[in-house]
Amino acid sequence: MGLFSRSKPKIKVQTTKKDGYSGWIKCSGCHEMTHANELQENSNCCPKCGHHYRLSLLQRIASLADEHSFKEKFTEFKPIDSLSFVDTESYAERLKSAAAKSGRDEAICVGTCTLHGHPLALGVFDFSFMGGSMGSVVGERLTLLIEFATDNGLPLVIVSASGGARMQESIFSLMQMAKTSAALTRLHDKRLPFISVLTNPTTGGVTASFASLGDIIIAEPDALIGFAGPRVVEKAIGQKLPPKAQKSEFLLEKGMIDCIVKRCDLKKTLAFFIEFLTNNVPLPKEHAPSCVVAEEIPERLKALIAHAKENLKTAVVK
């Protein structure tokens, strides 16, 4: 080795920057950095501000149904391109693409399950399949679920996440609004409860039909709920909408929905309402609802009954 020679340093120099997903996400609500693991452990909600991210179909069912209790029904009905509809691509191709993307054959999954031991009929929309749009098969599966609940004396819960009626099926999709609403009338006549859960977003023909017909209407926080989107409404009326218009908090204030329930509390709140409306065995204390409206119901009912008795006494005296 010469006097001025030196060995090459064993230091690895990275010449290209790694470009990969590190698991960190910038929250859409508070803009703080949150790790994906934290979201997953917190029901897909931001642990800092509570912003509710969308759940997949399987995640939603798992969050509500007791383990291994959900049994899917009416899968024999499949969507077809009955109108040979074509816009930028054919409806048949859109169906194939949606199936490949979502792993499902339609935008709804219906079946039976138990929720804290209470048997019920459950329908859950899959927004990843063509924006959760309602076509003929969605309407048919929902109607069959409602009729099954009616015939078997089951309470009904439908979790909506939809852009509305499916334009590629034209009038056939709009007919589902009337069909599902008529089926709910028969459920109501049997005095069976229907609880409608509105998630972000619930719009169009879904909002204008069965989603707004619940005996109790629950919404997740900050969910977009309405018929047309805010920009469309503003263009139509030529005015700026109030802040947070068409959000669940605004609709609660105006009386369109009954209560707003955080996702982590949704299962026990549903269990409370089902037990309350069907007069089943009382729930254990650990399943008591944290929904403010739900907690007030027994006291409000007692006050109404006492008021009615006083009015009756007055009427008898007269």
Side-chain angles (χ1 to χ4, degrees):
M1 180 180 292
L3 183 61
F4 299 104
S5 64
R6 63 185 179 87
S7 58
K8 190 175 181 181
K10 296 180 180 180
I11 300 174
K12 292 183 179 179
V13 180
Q14 185 175 318
T15 56
T16 58
K17 184 180 179 181
K18 289 184 179 179
D19 188 16
Y21 175 60
S22 62
W24 290 95
I25 300 168
K26 188 175 182 180
C27 176
S28 302
C30 61
H31 307 296
E32 294 289 330
M33 297 302 292
T34 303
H35 201 273
N37 292 340
E38 289 183 278
L39 286 178
Q40 188 175 0
E41 292 167 3
N42 198 41
S43 303
N44 229 25
C45 300
C46 176
K48 298 179 177 68
C49 70
H51 177 76
H52 283 47
Y53 287 90
R54 191 173 294 133
L55 286 180
S56 69
L57 172 70
L58 296 180
Q59 286 174 322
R60 179 69 69 179
I61 292 173
S63 72
L64 297 179
D66 295 339
E67 192 173 5
H68 305 307
S69 70
F70 184 77
K71 307 296 181 187
E72 189 173 1
K73 301 180 72 67
F74 311 122
T75 56
E76 63 271 24
F77 297 94
K78 311 289 185 184
I80 59 171
D81 185 9
S82 56
L83 299 176
S84 301
F85 188 94
V86 179
D87 47 87
T88 54
E89 63 178 308
S90 70
Y91 180 37
E93 288 300 319
R94 287 189 183 277
L95 288 172
K96 289 179 184 177
S97 300
K101 176 184 176 183
S102 65
R104 301 285 306 174
D105 59 4
E106 250 303 355
I108 189 76
C109 178
V110 302
T112 58
C113 68
T114 59
L115 189 152
H116 281 324
H118 296 291
L120 74 147
L122 176 66
V124 179
F125 272 80
D126 184 0
F127 195 80
S128 67
F129 191 102
M130 295 189 71
S133 53
M134 179 171 65
S136 302
V137 172
V138 170
E140 184 66 14
R141 290 184 184 180
L142 272 176
T143 302
L144 289 170
L145 179 71
I146 298 166
E147 290 175 344
F148 182 87
T150 304
D151 295 339
N152 292 274
L154 294 174
L156 172 69
V157 175
I158 299 176
V159 183
S160 300
S162 174
R166 190 172 298 171
M167 59 168 281
Q168 288 84 358
E169 294 191 22
S170 187
I171 191 65
F172 293 119
S173 64
L174 296 177
M175 288 167 62
Q176 309 312 309
M177 297 170 64
K179 186 165 72 175
T180 52
S181 299
L184 284 172
T185 300
R186 294 191 288 274
L187 182 82
H188 177 75
D189 291 342
K190 284 288 188 78
R191 303 181 69 82
L192 293 167
F194 164 41
I195 303 175
S196 181
V197 180
L198 312 182
T199 69
N200 184 48
T202 301
T203 59
V206 168
T207 304
S209 56
F210 63 86
S212 297
L213 296 177
D215 297 301
I216 295 172
I217 303 176
I218 299 173
E220 287 191 334
D222 203 39
L224 175 66
I225 303 164
F227 184 69
R231 285 176 294 180
V232 175
V233 174
E234 287 178 350
K235 282 187 178 181
I237 65 176
Q239 296 181 33
K240 191 75 175 172
L241 289 175
K244 290 281 187 178
Q246 297 187 312
K247 292 288 188 176
S248 48
E249 290 76 12
F250 184 87
L251 299 181
L252 178 64
E253 180 186 332
K254 302 302 177 184
M256 182 177 168
I257 62 176
D258 296 307
C259 55
I260 296 172
V261 180
K262 292 179 180 179
R263 187 176 294 159
C264 58
D265 299 323
L266 183 58
K267 184 173 182 177
K268 62 182 178 181
T269 302
L270 286 173
F272 169 81
F273 280 130
I274 291 168
E275 189 277 324
F276 184 80
L277 295 172
T278 58
N279 198 26
N280 288 323
V281 179
L283 290 171
K285 288 184 178 179
E286 62 266 22
H287 294 155
S290 60
C291 168
V292 174
V293 177
E295 289 173 345
E296 291 176 352
I297 283 178
E299 294 302 320
R300 289 161 71 180
L301 276 178
K302 288 176 186 176
L304 285 171
I305 291 168
H307 182 67
K309 285 180 178 178
E310 286 299 319
N311 288 343
L312 184 61
K313 286 179 184 177
T314 306
V316 170
V317 170
K318 288 181 179 178

